[in-house]
Amino acid sequence: MSVVATAKPPLSVVSQEPIRVMVVDDAVVVRGLVSRWIDAEPDLKIVASLRTGQEALERLEQTDPEVVLLDVEMPILDGISALPLLLRKKRNLVVIMVSTLTRRNAEVTLKALSLGAADYIPKPESQHEVAASATFQRDLVEKIRQLGWRRRQRNLGIPALGPPVIPAPPLQADGADTAAHSVPHALRSLTEIKLRPFPLSPPRVLLIGSSTGGPQALGTLIGGLNGVLDRTPVLITQHMPPTFTTILAEHIARVSGRPAHEAEDGEPFVAGTIYVAPGGKHMQVARRNGIAVADISDSAPINFCRPAVDPLFSSAAKVWGAWNLALVLTGMGSDGTQGAAAVVAAGGSVMAQDEATSVVWGMPGSVAHAGLCSAVLPLDRIAAKVVRLFWGDRQ
């Protein structure tokens, strides 16, 4: 079975003007650093560097940004108050929330995502740490690039090509590269997506991996899984820092009406409970005394991520084999592809969110083009399909 991807127009169809970025942060040192980082990128351009949300509102029409970096904590008008006002003035604006790793800021940031922010990025605590963090700089630039180009292509009414091709880094740690990692997304989009048949036996474990756009997607998905949640453990790796994953688990518990929490090392995985990988640590599955338990570690990042999806999927494949159903939701990069290959090799199955409903079609696109998926579906259809599969329906 296969799905032929719609032919995409050449990259020349898309405007090659740099993506216009507004930075809003009350710390002058942070504004200066971030502005220099962005202006150093040939495809990005700073159009405003401002101190408060009020200034952002007043300068929005004049500067006409495509992406706004919006600090959570600011005087006069803070980020969460400014967000809906900015989106009201410019509905297609991409807003990326920037916040430090406090519980309050994590709660505010997740609320901002529900109010229309496209994504968030955690900011180091001190200005010195901001200046010294290569990870913060890299993640910030890449989020602006990916989300900015996605917005521009949607505004032009063409299918998403992704930004101009920049070679992806190889998998980190012990991960071996795959064909899906070596082919630029803009070229893979032109290729045929081949779907695999679902296994004959119904799944008994649900694994989920997500990144950019994931908190919103998880809320939609989990809310539709009532027919499954009492029958299986659900294991989730969402690319998130510490504290944020704590708040995410609490949100999932409210949405699902089931126990949901960050997994603890050595904790048995049981049906009826949702386990979230703790921020800053990998969550894997291990077998101890014949029982499947959580193996939580702070080993090296994989695919620049910790937690990463690949170790969850790969370890679950070793322990549970054909029982696994792995879902890859919206996210940048290709984390999850290697692990999805392990799930399929062990007799399990993989599904991916489709391009149209993904905030960024990096992770799900990677597994789809690697030929590992048995279905590629819009977000609002995934839960119903999962329920049918757990009840033995392969169609």
mmCIF file of all heavy atoms in Angstrom, residues 98 237 340 367:
data_model
loop_
_atom_site.group_PDB
_atom_site.id
_atom_site.type_symbol
_atom_site.label_atom_id
_atom_site.label_comp_id
_atom_site.label_asym_id
_atom_site.label_seq_id
_atom_site.Cartn_x
_atom_site.Cartn_y
_atom_site.Cartn_z
ATOM 1 N N VAL A 98 8.960 32.718 25.305
ATOM 2 C CA VAL A 98 10.293 32.522 25.885
ATOM 3 C C VAL A 98 10.168 32.669 27.391
ATOM 4 O O VAL A 98 9.700 33.699 27.875
ATOM 5 C CB VAL A 98 11.298 33.547 25.324
ATOM 6 C CG1 VAL A 98 12.700 33.264 25.858
ATOM 7 C CG2 VAL A 98 11.301 33.528 23.788
ATOM 8 N N THR A 237 6.854 10.535 25.379
ATOM 9 C CA THR A 237 8.047 11.377 25.399
ATOM 10 C C THR A 237 7.743 12.631 24.597
ATOM 11 O O THR A 237 7.504 12.558 23.392
ATOM 12 C CB THR A 237 9.267 10.662 24.807
ATOM 13 O OG1 THR A 237 9.689 9.632 25.706
ATOM 14 C CG2 THR A 237 10.420 11.639 24.621
ATOM 15 N N ALA A 340 11.256 3.935 15.784
ATOM 16 C CA ALA A 340 10.119 3.386 15.048
ATOM 17 C C ALA A 340 10.539 2.178 14.216
ATOM 18 O O ALA A 340 9.791 1.202 14.084
ATOM 19 C CB ALA A 340 9.505 4.463 14.154
ATOM 20 N N VAL A 367 9.423 9.507 9.742
ATOM 21 C CA VAL A 367 9.022 8.100 9.843
ATOM 22 C C VAL A 367 8.141 7.692 8.662
ATOM 23 O O VAL A 367 8.208 6.554 8.185
ATOM 24 C CB VAL A 367 8.306 7.792 11.176
ATOM 25 C CG1 VAL A 367 9.246 7.958 12.336
ATOM 26 C CG2 VAL A 367 7.060 8.630 11.363
#
